[in-house]
Amino acid sequence: MKDSLMMLANFLKNPKQTGSIAQSSKFLTREIVKNVDFKSSKCIVELGPGIGTFTKAVLEKAGPDTKIVCFELNKTFCSHLNRNFKDKRLIVVNAGADKIKENLKKFNIKEADCIISGLPFRNFPDKDKKKILKEIKNSLSPKGRFVLFQYTNNLSKMLKSHFGNVSRRFVPLNIPPAFVYICGKRLK
């Protein structure tokens, strides 16, 4: 099944989980990836990779010893990722973003240097958003980054309450247009 048809079919089946009818544009992908420190990252986590648009770009730029751990709830997308990305650095986990730390431990990974996300936070109740953001913060290295995109601008306040440094960029050339947030921990 073509990637775009797979995205649409999964969106129609479960729009709250899939979150988008189309894969991310090259412009959004470029904005996400340019905020990842590939030189010092030993572990990059991706939340909600879907069909792997960001995954492909991350694998192209990541170092030979970098682990890329993708957390995906949708089993169809998990199978797609495993089938289409034959790379020893990639680990696909069929689990939610609230289980990052426990799954990293299974692979002897202490923390992530960067976490990128395509999760549709607008579809989650506030208590779930807070739980996921806490899990992300607790799974990041002290100088780690959380890079995510959203189609709405209403997550800023919650991100600022969890992370010390939050910046935002607008990417109009995407369907729909998106906001990219770059978050870092407050360093003591």
Side-chain angles (χ1 to χ4, degrees):
M1 182 185 297
K2 281 193 89 167
D3 290 350
S4 54
L5 288 176
M6 183 185 299
M7 282 290 296
L8 179 60
N10 280 278
F11 176 81
L12 293 173
K13 188 192 278 186
N14 191 345
K16 287 194 178 248
Q17 187 182 76
T18 302
S20 180
I21 60 168
Q23 65 190 68
S24 299
S25 71
K26 66 181 178 183
F27 304 101
L28 180 55
T29 302
R30 196 176 303 138
E31 188 64 38
I32 292 286
V33 171
K34 83 176 191 182
N35 288 289
V36 177
D37 179 4
F38 289 102
K39 287 184 178 160
S40 64
S41 290
K42 295 297 176 204
C43 175
I44 299 168
V45 167
E46 183 177 4
L47 305 175
I51 59 170
T53 303
F54 298 156
T55 312
K56 180 180 179 188
V58 168
L59 285 167
E60 288 171 359
K61 293 185 170 277
D65 297 323
T66 303
K67 293 291 180 202
I68 295 93
V69 186
C70 292
F71 288 79
E72 177 59 64
L73 284 175
N74 184 311
K75 289 183 181 185
T76 301
F77 289 151
C78 288
S79 296
H80 176 81
L81 292 167
N82 282 317
R83 193 172 49 252
N84 288 289
F85 297 105
K86 303 290 185 195
D87 193 307
K88 66 178 180 63
R89 299 170 297 167
L90 180 67
I91 301 167
V92 178
V93 180
N94 183 215
D98 58 336
K99 306 263 190 278
I100 300 168
K101 197 104 173 134
E102 76 180 62
N103 278 286
L104 289 180
K105 282 181 187 176
K106 291 177 186 177
F107 300 103
N108 296 315
I109 300 170
K110 182 182 171 191
E111 58 198 6
D113 299 300
C114 186
I115 297 177
I116 61 176
S117 173
L119 296 179
F121 278 96
R122 74 183 182 283
N123 294 343
F124 304 158
D126 279 353
K127 68 176 180 65
D128 291 347
K129 289 177 195 175
K130 289 175 184 173
K131 182 178 180 182
I132 292 168
L133 290 174
K134 183 177 179 185
E135 180 73 8
I136 289 167
K137 184 178 179 182
N138 291 337
S139 301
L140 275 175
S141 65
K143 293 184 181 178
R145 278 189 172 172
F146 175 41
V147 182
L148 70 152
F149 79 92
Q150 296 292 288
Y151 299 126
T152 62
N153 189 19
N154 62 3
L155 196 61
S156 292
K157 190 174 181 180
M158 193 174 287
L159 287 171
K160 287 176 183 173
S161 74
H162 283 79
F163 297 93
N165 303 307
V166 178
S167 63
R168 183 185 71 218
R169 296 191 177 92
F170 181 62
V171 181
L173 298 175
N174 192 65
I175 299 173
F179 292 94
V180 173
Y181 293 90
I182 303 97
C183 310
K185 290 182 176 182
R186 191 175 286 115
L187 296 177
K188 297 175 183 176

